[in-house]
Amino acid sequence: MADWIVWFALTGVLVALELFTGTFYLLMIAIGLACGGIAALLGAAGAVQTIIAALVGVAATELLRRTRGGGGARLDAERDPNVNLDIGQTIAVPLWQDGTARVMYRGAMWDVDLAPGSRADAGSFRIEAVRGARLVVANA
């Protein structure tokens, strides 16, 4: 069996496995294997094919890791609106006492803390974070 067939068969296997993981890392390794297959089609020796596949796979994986697709910068769960749907909602705070308050939100009483840099005036506030049973709010 020709070398290029083996490289592309392995590429197909990794792409199929990637469909089950969803992390894109196997896809980056598959790109490296495909480059090894291309080197085989161009007539490169077996060692050269392997080195090309390894270098491209490692470079693609490192590039993915440094980008947002590789899970780089993530928000804390207490501030991430994808984790907690309360983030970004507005509430009305009628009275502040030393930077804290109690308000009715979603049918329950919540403790509310004022976010740094916000003014403790009665009115409408935006939920910035949820820490346990406490809402951290900023002026809306």
Side-chain angles (χ1 to χ4, degrees):
M1 186 180 307
D3 289 345
W4 67 271
I5 294 174
V6 174
W7 285 110
F8 289 125
L10 289 173
T11 300
V13 168
L14 280 186
V15 169
L17 288 174
E18 174 58 40
L19 295 174
F20 294 107
T21 63
T23 62
F24 293 113
Y25 286 104
L26 287 178
L27 188 59
M28 298 300 108
I29 301 299
I31 290 170
L33 293 177
C35 288
I38 292 170
L41 279 173
L42 296 175
V48 174
Q49 296 169 22
T50 305
I51 290 171
I52 289 173
L55 289 177
V56 172
V58 167
T61 302
E62 183 62 23
L63 184 66
L64 176 67
R65 190 185 68 80
R66 291 177 186 253
T67 64
R68 185 175 178 96
R74 296 182 192 257
L75 295 174
D76 292 335
E78 68 184 24
R79 295 187 177 279
D80 190 352
N82 294 318
V83 173
N84 193 327
L85 298 178
D86 294 322
I87 307 296
Q89 300 298 318
T90 58
I91 60 171
V93 179
L95 177 67
W96 288 97
Q97 295 176 345
D98 300 324
T100 61
R102 296 253 318 147
V103 298
M104 180 67 76
Y105 176 65
R106 293 190 305 139
M109 293 300 290
W110 287 75
D111 291 325
V112 178
D113 291 333
L114 194 60
S118 298
R119 295 180 319 276
D121 301 329
S124 182
F125 289 83
R126 185 181 64 254
I127 299 173
E128 296 288 319
V130 179
R131 291 189 189 124
R134 299 183 80 80
L135 302 174
V136 179
V137 298
N139 297 93

